[in-house]
Amino acid sequence: MQEKNLEQKKSLTGFTHLHVHSHYSLLDGLPKIGLLLDRVKELGMDSIALTDHGNLYGAIEFYKEAKERGIKPILGAEMYIALDAASQKRPTIDDTSHHLILLVKNEEGYRNLVKLLTRAYLEGFYYKPRVDETWLKEYSSGLVALSACLSGKIPRLILARKLQEAETAALHYQEIFGKDNFYLELQHHPNIPEQKRVNDELIQISKKTGVPLVATADSHYLRPEDADAQDILMLINTGARPDDPERLTLKSDDFSLKSAEEMEKLFQDVPEALENTQKIAEMCNLTITLGVNKLPTYPLPPGKSAEEYLRELCMLGFEKRSELKGSKEAIDRLHYELGVIQKTGFAAYFLIVQDFVNWAKDHHIVVGPGRGSVAGSFVSYLLNITGIDPLKYNLLFERFLNPERISLPDIDIDFADTRRDEVIQYVSEKYGKDRVAQIITFGTMASRAVVRDVGRALGYEYLYCDRLAKMIPFNFSLNQALQEVEEFKELYEKEEKAHTLINLAKKLEGVVRHASTHACGVVISSEPLDTIVPVQHPTQDQAHVVTQYEMHSIEDLGLLKMDF
């Protein structure tokens, strides 16, 4: 009996969620990455996939935080597949797309997913970032695919009673990804009648073709009691009224992150669909190297190393400044700083920065004199990066670059807003347009704004929501306001309307609301960005590209991030 219980426990802990949305499925998924992984740990699971809609926004944050918790991260995305070629953008036809889950097995798979998502945004975007089956075939290596939810191609063919076409599509996807790399996805949503029809037919297709089954939960929130908050998120997204019977909603069923025990119970008739989640998890073994600098190559004069050329430029700068002639203190400081730069391996960094700063100055673009700790760098002064002599003001170099704590320096350049694009263009031409991009940033729901958003979604009158929001001091979280603002706390405790609104707002506070472009962040890569980081056009801006990773993830990957 004890052996049987141990065997049962082992099978339960073997389940892995492979279709999971975070708040990076913008205004659709609710969980923040940290809370999602905490819940995984709480459920006793040791691996999980992240499959946000059409992006990898949270991938590096997810990977890093999962590793810290001892959880195996599986990177992926829920892709949008064009009906025909992704280049076709026909009104009322191509505004519809199919869904398909892609999961990364290894480094090749990661690079292929990055390529696919980049092309989806730069070439295939029409309402959604789309790829097509030709591109899938080209970039299929190292990836596992699942047939997705009811919006997948195969489920839609089943619901249209085109069963032979559904079977053909399953075999076609199996041919694209390989025999062990395509799975028919079962979900349990008993209040959605179409789901049972699709599941029954998928099981039959599997029996007939040998294409394996896999069970998922299509998780959009962590616990069943979070359903209302996720629904509010969708109301904010669509602008619909809560009483609109035609509105988009997931409230008809449970889309929470279920436990292994729940999943085993729900799929007890198809145990292989549960076992295959672990089989897939074992196939996915991506390792991403974090914290190792990948500086772009600066073009050097023939026969010179970066350190030698940096010393040469510093000596030229020294000679131009007559006030430094004969100063032993200046010579000693220069030798000391160059020694630290050589030890840390950052000579190329200084060469790259001085090059575009001096180009900007030569072209009469206003550049800041040197903000922050860089003012303590004598080398930066001699290279004309800064306009402040640190010796004159007794400024410390170690605040900028410390040999005991080696990390890439951070120089805030402060180019004039009106001509920043010219400097970005210069850098793009020097290092390659495919190696330079601006950096994405995410706007999240702050306490005051989330009270107004939730109130609007609930249909509460504007003045009521506005009054409640204005009770929250600037930069206070909702919890802080409840602890320290007596009037706010009293309304929460005594008025049901306020209680409901604030409880929902607490679940949405800090959730990503939109993506935009970082005001001055630029990344310069040593290799084409679309082999490391997916890129996209900013909203309503086809002229520029931004990375899908925000600045902290860019730094984690060791890429050179500059503040222009």
Side-chain angles (χ1 to χ4, degrees):
M1 183 70 178
Q2 192 178 6
E3 279 181 22
K4 188 178 178 183
N5 288 340
L6 284 171
E7 194 177 311
Q8 184 186 34
K9 190 174 181 186
K10 187 179 177 185
S11 72
L12 292 175
T13 54
F15 178 79
T16 297
H17 280 288
L18 298 174
H19 187 160
V20 181
H21 297 278
S22 76
H23 66 150
Y24 289 108
S25 286
L26 302 187
L27 297 178
D28 182 29
L30 181 65
K32 286 167 268 191
I33 298 293
L35 294 176
L36 170 65
L37 293 168
D38 287 345
R39 180 63 176 155
V40 172
K41 200 80 177 166
E42 191 181 304
L43 291 171
M45 298 178 179
D46 57 9
S47 56
I48 187 172
L50 183 66
T51 56
D52 283 314
H53 285 299
N55 69 66
L56 280 173
Y57 292 155
I60 302 303
E61 179 188 350
F62 170 73
Y63 180 90
K64 187 179 176 184
E65 291 208 24
K67 288 286 188 182
E68 285 171 2
R69 288 168 172 80
I71 295 168
K72 181 180 188 177
I74 302 167
L75 302 192
E78 184 162 14
M79 306 293 287
Y80 296 101
I81 314 299
L83 300 185
D84 294 305
S87 57
Q88 291 190 314
K89 297 171 184 182
R90 300 163 293 186
T92 72
I93 298 173
D94 293 309
D95 48 356
T96 300
S97 51
H98 303 306
H99 293 194
L100 185 74
I101 299 291
L102 294 184
L103 303 171
V104 171
K105 289 168 67 177
N106 48 35
E107 187 178 345
E108 185 183 15
Y110 173 75
R111 287 177 180 261
N112 279 333
L113 184 56
V114 166
K115 286 270 189 190
L116 282 167
L117 283 167
T118 296
R119 290 191 72 177
Y121 278 91
L122 302 188
E123 300 174 47
F125 198 97
Y126 188 66
Y127 290 89
K128 301 287 185 186
R130 306 168 307 144
V131 300
D132 59 34
E133 291 181 4
T134 305
W135 296 355
L136 288 177
K137 197 167 187 179
E138 187 178 348
Y139 300 109
S140 63
S141 188
L143 295 170
V144 174
L146 319 181
S147 61
C149 56
L150 295 180
S151 294
K153 181 177 183 176
I154 296 167
R156 280 180 171 163
L157 287 169
I158 289 169
L159 293 173
R161 303 190 186 282
K162 298 178 179 179
L163 302 183
Q164 186 55 52
E165 286 183 45
E167 185 182 314
T168 302
L171 289 168
H172 180 58
Y173 277 130
Q174 187 180 58
E175 184 186 344
I176 288 173
F177 292 99
K179 193 170 187 303
D180 295 321
N181 298 317
F182 177 66
Y183 291 78
L184 298 169
E185 183 174 339
L186 304 178
Q187 297 183 8
H188 182 82
H189 300 301
N191 297 327
I192 303 173
E194 294 87 349
Q195 187 69 63
K196 175 142 190 353
R197 272 181 57 199
V198 166
N199 283 358
D200 290 345
E201 292 300 337
L202 288 174
I203 290 167
Q204 291 308 310
I205 291 171
S206 177
K207 285 177 180 173
K208 196 169 177 184
T209 63
V211 177
L213 300 166
V214 68
T216 77
D218 193 5
S219 167
H220 283 68
Y221 46 88
L222 300 182
R223 297 172 178 83
E225 58 267 30
D226 295 332
D228 285 339
Q230 191 275 340
D231 195 50
I232 292 292
L233 199 63
M234 294 187 78
L235 286 168
I236 293 168
N237 184 9
T238 60
R241 291 184 57 82
D243 55 0
D244 179 359
E246 299 299 315
R247 72 181 179 87
L248 193 64
T249 180
L250 297 180
K251 278 200 76 176
S252 59
D253 219 301
D254 181 5
F255 288 84
S256 66
L257 194 77
K258 297 178 178 72
S259 68
E261 291 85 351
E262 287 177 275
M263 293 299 287
E264 184 171 86
K265 187 177 178 184
L266 296 173
F267 293 95
Q268 58 188 327
D269 295 336
V270 274
E272 69 273 24
L274 295 162
E275 290 159 13
N276 283 336
T277 69
Q278 193 61 10
K279 180 181 175 184
I280 293 167
E282 286 166 4
M283 289 162 60
C284 297
N285 295 295
L286 173 68
T287 299
I288 299 176
T289 303
L290 301 177
V292 176
N293 294 316
K294 303 181 183 79
L295 288 174
T297 304
Y298 181 80
L300 296 164
K304 283 195 171 73
S305 69
E307 288 77 15
E308 288 168 342
Y309 189 49
L310 179 64
R311 183 179 294 275
E312 184 181 308
L313 291 179
C314 285
M315 292 312 298
L316 285 171
F318 201 98
E319 288 164 15
K320 286 177 186 175
R321 290 165 171 82
S322 56
E323 74 277 8
L324 297 176
K325 282 183 182 174
S327 169
K328 185 177 183 305
E329 182 191 11
I331 289 289
D332 289 348
R333 176 68 170 258
L334 175 59
H335 288 162
Y336 168 69
E337 289 195 16
L338 288 172
V340 172
I341 291 166
Q342 182 165 355
K343 180 184 173 184
T344 54
F346 293 149
Y349 174 84
F350 285 89
L351 292 172
I352 291 161
V353 175
Q354 66 80 30
D355 175 70
F356 63 69
V357 167
N358 284 310
W359 180 89
K361 289 179 177 179
D362 290 344
H363 289 78
H364 311 293
I365 296 170
V366 176
V367 185
R371 176 164 55 87
S373 61
V374 68
S377 168
F378 190 52
V379 164
S380 296
Y381 175 60
L382 295 177
L383 294 172
N384 204 30
I385 294 170
T386 64
I388 299 157
D389 179 358
L391 300 181
K392 184 177 178 181
Y393 298 100
N394 296 314
L395 300 176
L396 295 174
F397 176 65
E398 288 78 10
R399 283 191 62 228
F400 173 63
L401 188 59
N402 191 327
E404 304 304 318
R405 194 183 66 252
I406 297 173
S407 59
L408 204 60
D410 189 14
I411 300 177
D412 296 316
I413 307 297
D414 299 326
F415 291 117
D417 291 350
T418 51
R419 299 188 66 189
R420 183 181 289 121
D421 279 359
E422 292 176 49
V423 188
I424 295 172
Q425 182 66 25
Y426 168 74
V427 170
S428 297
E429 287 169 4
K430 189 172 188 82
Y431 298 99
K433 289 184 186 299
D434 59 347
R435 296 167 192 231
V436 177
Q438 289 177 267
I439 297 171
I440 205 166
T441 186
F442 298 103
T444 57
M445 297 192 197
S447 54
R448 284 180 155 213
V450 79
V451 165
R452 290 189 175 97
D453 280 338
V454 171
R456 193 182 306 117
L458 289 170
Y460 290 2
E461 56 274 20
Y462 172 77
L463 288 175
Y464 177 82
C465 303
D466 188 55
R467 182 168 71 90
L468 210 55
K470 283 177 177 173
M471 289 179 192
I472 305 166
F474 285 109
N475 299 319
F476 267 48
S477 69
L478 288 168
N479 280 332
Q480 276 180 292
L482 286 170
Q483 286 168 9
E484 298 183 37
V485 181
E486 200 57 42
E487 186 184 6
F488 190 71
K489 181 182 176 184
E490 193 175 323
L491 267 176
Y492 174 72
E493 289 174 349
K494 293 183 178 177
E495 198 175 294
E496 189 179 342
K497 196 172 170 182
H499 192 84
T500 300
L501 191 160
I502 293 165
N503 276 345
L504 288 167
K506 281 164 70 177
K507 290 187 177 182
L508 268 61
E509 187 178 16
V511 166
V512 170
R513 199 187 199 290
H514 64 270
S516 57
T517 306
H518 191 284
C520 49
V522 174
V523 62
I524 308 170
S525 172
S526 58
E527 57 184 299
L529 278 168
D530 69 359
T531 63
I532 316 166
V533 180
V535 299
Q536 65 181 67
H537 290 304
T539 308
Q540 297 178 330
D541 179 1
Q542 298 298 303
H544 298 92
V545 293
V546 295
T547 60
Q548 281 191 25
Y549 298 158
E550 49 74 57
M551 62 177 183
H552 299 104
S553 296
I554 292 293
E555 289 171 342
D556 287 336
L557 285 171
L559 296 173
L560 176 59
K561 176 193 77 74
M562 297 301 310
D563 286 327
F564 274 27

